[in-house]
Amino acid sequence: MEILLALVVAAMLVSGGIFTFLAAVGVVRLPDVYTRMHAASKAGTVGSGLMLIAAGLYAGEFATLARAFAGFVFFILTAPVAAHLVAKAAHQAGYRLSRRTVCDEMRLPPKK
Amino acid sequence: MTAHAIVQPAATFALFLMCLAFFLTAYRVITGPTLPDRIVALDMLVAIAIGFLAVVAIKTGFNLYVDIAIALGLVGFLATVAFARFVLTQGMPEDEKDPMAASPRAGSRRAGERSVAQRTARRKTRGRAR
């Protein structure tokens, strides 16, 4: 039973690390703010959330697991809100999408 | 004891991956062409720091680090929201034209349309001048 729990925790640690690393690669490689935010908010949150859950599981007591789960739920709730705020603010401030963008549905009408 | 022997290498591997992720994101913070790029990268740095705290909690056995991770998440969320409000109120500064959209052909076409923030800023300065 202990071995099984350790295997689950190890798998969550490794997959969380891989998620975080891929999010960082996306932040570096993607062309503009909006796509970078897309990589950072989703993959980064999943990576750190998996590690928090792993820490809660490995502690072996219910209080720590409950706190880790509460922190995970908090990140899942706040990361999309923060990413949406940054993207909306950047779009309203006039930061442009990359040239390869196909469609921008929030663009202003061309002439009034 | 064997459970320890299973988890410890995984934690070391996760720390290694997150070190790489931390340096890549720090590179984006330093060379990010615009302010929102740096904000997104700072948000990502907070997430990586939370991951670090969780792995250190596993490696050392101090469960208090989970609470610190929750507090760091709260602070990071508030910082990101404050930065977003800052970008919204300040608008795009003149020296931060997007280098990705800047091509010599598109220059004339882009000169015609101006962003909302620039227009409101211009309106504000005009109103002040009167």
Side-chain angles (χ1 to χ4, degrees):
Chain A
M1 192 62 204
E2 197 175 329
I3 301 291
L4 188 66
L5 184 71
L7 280 177
V8 169
V9 165
M12 285 173 89
L13 276 179
V14 170
S15 57
I18 289 173
F19 266 113
T20 311
F21 177 68
L22 288 182
V25 169
V27 165
V28 170
R29 292 275 300 160
L30 285 173
D32 62 358
V33 189
Y34 308 99
T35 47
R36 278 171 197 152
M37 169 214 74
H38 170 86
S41 69
K42 277 181 274 196
T45 307
V46 167
S48 59
L50 272 177
M51 288 182 177
L52 258 186
I53 294 284
L57 280 178
Y58 193 63
E61 51 185 279
F62 181 71
T64 310
L65 179 60
R67 274 178 292 166
F69 194 71
F72 177 63
V73 170
F74 179 74
F75 297 144
I76 290 288
L77 281 181
T78 56
V81 176
H84 177 80
L85 271 175
V86 171
K88 198 163 186 305
H91 197 277
Q92 280 194 12
Y95 289 98
R96 303 205 166 271
L97 280 71
S98 89
R99 254 184 306 152
R100 279 178 285 173
T101 306
V102 178
C103 172
D104 179 11
E105 291 192 334
M106 283 176 70
R107 195 169 61 182
L108 295 172
K111 274 291 174 192
K112 283 187 184 152
Chain B
M1 213 53 222
T2 42
H4 189 77
I6 292 172
V7 168
Q8 213 65 17
T12 309
F13 181 65
L15 275 184
F16 172 70
L17 278 181
M18 280 200 305
C19 264
L20 290 181
F22 194 90
F23 282 121
L24 285 177
T25 316
Y27 167 78
R28 178 52 69 199
V29 172
I30 293 168
T31 70
T34 63
L35 178 62
D37 280 315
R38 297 194 168 97
I39 297 171
V40 166
L42 280 176
D43 197 24
M44 181 71 202
L45 278 187
V46 170
I48 294 174
I50 289 167
F52 265 126
L53 283 174
V55 178
V56 168
I58 288 178
K59 269 182 96 75
T60 62
F62 287 123
N63 294 329
L64 195 63
Y65 279 116
V66 174
D67 299 340
I68 300 173
I70 292 176
L72 185 63
L74 183 61
V75 171
F77 171 63
L78 289 180
T80 309
V81 170
F83 270 126
R85 298 293 299 176
F86 173 68
V87 167
L88 197 59
T89 54
Q90 183 219 28
M92 185 165 58
E94 283 300 313
D95 56 342
E96 270 195 0
K97 295 299 172 211
D98 193 356
M100 287 304 160
S103 73
R105 285 187 298 105
S108 56
R109 196 182 53 209
R110 281 192 306 129
E113 49 176 19
R114 230 174 268 130
S115 70
V116 187
Q118 276 174 322
R119 247 180 287 161
T120 51
R122 191 154 301 204
R123 217 175 292 143
K124 265 181 215 160
T125 50
R126 226 185 287 148
R128 224 175 284 139
R130 264 176 210 161

